[in-house]
Amino acid sequence: MNLNELNAIARKMVAPGKGILAADESTGTIKKRFDKIGVENTEDNRRDYREMMFRTEVAMKDHISGVILFDETIRQKAKDGTPLVKLIEAAGSVPGIKVDAGAKPLAGAPGEVVTEGLDGLRERFQDYHKLGARFAKWRAVIDISADIPTYNCINANAQALARYAALAQENGIVPIVEPEVLMDGDHTIERCEQVTTWVLKEVFQQLYFAGVALEGIVLKPNMIVPGKKCAKQNSVEDVAKATVKVLKDCVPSAVPGIAFLSGGQSDEEATAHLDAINRIGGLPWNVTFSYGRALQAAPQAAWSGKADNYAKGQAAFAHRALMNSQAALGKWSKANEKAA
Ligand code: 5MM
């Protein structure tokens, strides 16, 4: 492992004012997104849609530091035969790859899941490195209800994240470590804070045991928010304060950067929260976005699978990338949304 190289890639991924586009939807997940806009889930449509984003020059050059790809996409060519990876590299952005095989039911733990995908991962990393990937992503999923999560679930997921991260670094690839505490339930912001703290403490413990160098990772956590069905929805300031408190409590300053997932927040909520977190300031890490839905919902709706809407789709993507870039610097305001 060359730690200087890993650290340089990680710092590039979280460079000030830039963030990551999570375009790693598996075939089943992109189908759900396409169903909403009436687009058939074919290989060509998936290619056309992603090519549209990767060719949005201003967004890719100025605001998107890296793109997380799915296995199909990292091997795919644009309509003119250029590998999609080359489009990303040409924009100065770093290609990355999702390597987990998804969350599967955890035996003996009703309602809980564990992320799989460790078998053969060393060889897959070697292959992905040849294809141009310089970072990877593995997502663990932790759900909250009255009786869960259990320590068994948190520990199993943290161990898998640590084994994945160690293998990534061994192969010259920066691991994005993504322990996602879901915002699906009716739990309060306090419960999210408690569970996320528990999860992050366990994750950093397991990363330590696995010998993972923190200077060569990027953390992708959830923000501290109440469940979507919770009667009390907190203010942007409450979310920012709680999130900063948990991160300061759990994330060592050796980590170069934190890139949040959006987790089902609306586009503007995800931007407003990131902005408020960065406005608090004085953080030891660069704090930015690694959004899937919050970057892509608008371009998907604007494009709707029609070649005539290509420019509209690109404009919508460029707009969200710019808004989140401002938020990553703590310089966004609602007025900027309207002005655009
Ligand atoms: C882009 O969606 C990724 C998941 O795809 P699969 O569920 O099909 O594997 C997901 O991991 C994503 O990268 C993160 O959850 C962040 O996305 P959001 O939409 O939460 O910002």
Side-chain angles (χ1 to χ4, degrees):
M1 180 205 328
N2 182 332
L3 189 51
N4 286 338
E5 273 175 29
L6 290 173
N7 180 251
I9 298 166
R11 282 189 290 108
K12 190 170 175 187
M13 290 162 64
V14 295
K18 289 192 171 192
I20 297 166
L21 165 64
D24 58 311
E25 299 86 356
S26 51
T27 312
T29 301
I30 196 77
K31 180 179 182 325
K32 286 187 209 152
R33 311 279 183 261
F34 279 4
D35 282 351
K36 277 195 193 151
I37 54 170
V39 173
E40 202 189 338
N41 188 24
T42 63
E43 198 174 330
D44 279 358
N45 283 340
R46 294 193 290 273
R47 188 266 325 273
D48 289 349
Y49 166 62
R50 287 168 172 147
E51 183 177 347
M52 175 185 82
M53 290 190 289
F54 304 162
R55 284 195 192 273
T56 307
E57 223 176 293
V58 61
M60 292 296 295
K61 282 199 169 145
D62 296 346
H63 311 310
I64 301 296
S65 56
V67 182
I68 316 174
L69 301 167
F70 182 55
D71 183 77
E72 173 185 273
T73 325
I74 202 171
R75 302 170 194 279
Q76 226 167 12
K77 292 193 167 115
K79 247 185 186 154
D80 67 1
T82 313
L84 292 179
V85 165
K86 294 288 167 209
L87 296 184
I88 295 166
E89 287 171 351
S93 188
V94 186
I97 181 75
K98 184 240 297 291
V99 297
D100 67 66
K104 307 283 156 62
L106 178 63
E112 298 192 291
V113 292
V114 63
T115 301
E116 295 187 350
L118 289 168
D119 288 355
L121 189 53
R122 176 175 282 123
E123 293 72 26
R124 288 171 60 217
F125 272 134
Q126 288 161 0
D127 187 32
Y128 285 137
H129 195 277
K130 284 188 202 134
L131 289 167
R134 292 296 175 268
F135 72 91
K137 192 202 85 174
W138 178 289
R139 171 173 171 253
V141 181
I142 310 291
D143 209 349
I144 298 182
S145 75
D147 308 326
I148 60 172
T150 60
Y151 178 66
N152 179 32
C153 169
I154 293 175
N155 173 261
N157 276 291
Q159 278 201 30
L161 273 168
R163 286 183 60 194
Y164 138 82
L167 275 168
Q169 291 192 335
E170 179 192 280
N171 289 285
I173 289 183
V174 169
I176 290 186
V177 173
E178 181 180 2
E180 174 172 8
V181 176
L182 297 178
M183 56 182 287
D184 287 344
D186 61 1
H187 54 271
T188 60
I189 193 170
E190 289 79 16
R191 177 94 167 115
C192 177
E193 177 174 333
Q194 176 202 34
V195 171
T196 305
T197 300
W198 190 16
V199 169
L200 289 176
K201 297 258 182 215
E202 183 68 17
V203 166
F204 280 98
Q205 175 91 328
Q206 295 300 330
L207 290 174
Y208 170 68
F209 290 149
V212 173
L214 297 185
E215 296 82 354
I217 73 162
V218 169
L219 178 72
K220 177 165 172 167
N222 51 283
M223 294 175 188
I224 306 301
V225 290
K228 276 186 227 159
K229 292 183 216 137
C230 178
K232 182 177 176 196
Q233 292 296 315
N234 298 75
S235 67
V236 170
E237 286 66 33
D238 282 353
V239 168
K241 268 192 220 152
T243 304
V244 167
K245 177 175 178 287
V246 168
L247 293 176
K248 280 192 167 169
D249 206 18
C250 302
V251 185
S253 56
V255 173
I258 293 175
F260 288 106
L261 58 92
S262 55
Q265 300 177 44
S266 74
D267 300 0
E268 215 173 298
E269 269 170 2
T271 306
H273 286 150
L274 177 62
D275 180 68
I277 289 165
N278 275 304
R279 278 176 194 269
I280 290 177
L283 308 175
W285 339 264
N286 284 349
V287 175
T288 188
F289 58 92
S290 173
Y291 294 162
R293 285 163 285 182
L295 270 175
Q296 295 188 62
Q300 277 162 11
W303 171 65
S304 289
K306 298 194 179 72
D308 286 353
N309 291 337
Y310 202 83
K312 281 187 195 161
Q314 288 192 319
F317 175 54
H319 175 64
R320 286 271 40 97
L322 172 65
M323 293 299 104
N324 285 306
S325 160
Q326 293 175 353
L329 297 168
K331 291 187 172 161
W332 172 84
S333 79
K334 219 176 164 53
N336 298 1
E337 295 275 351
K338 286 191 188 123

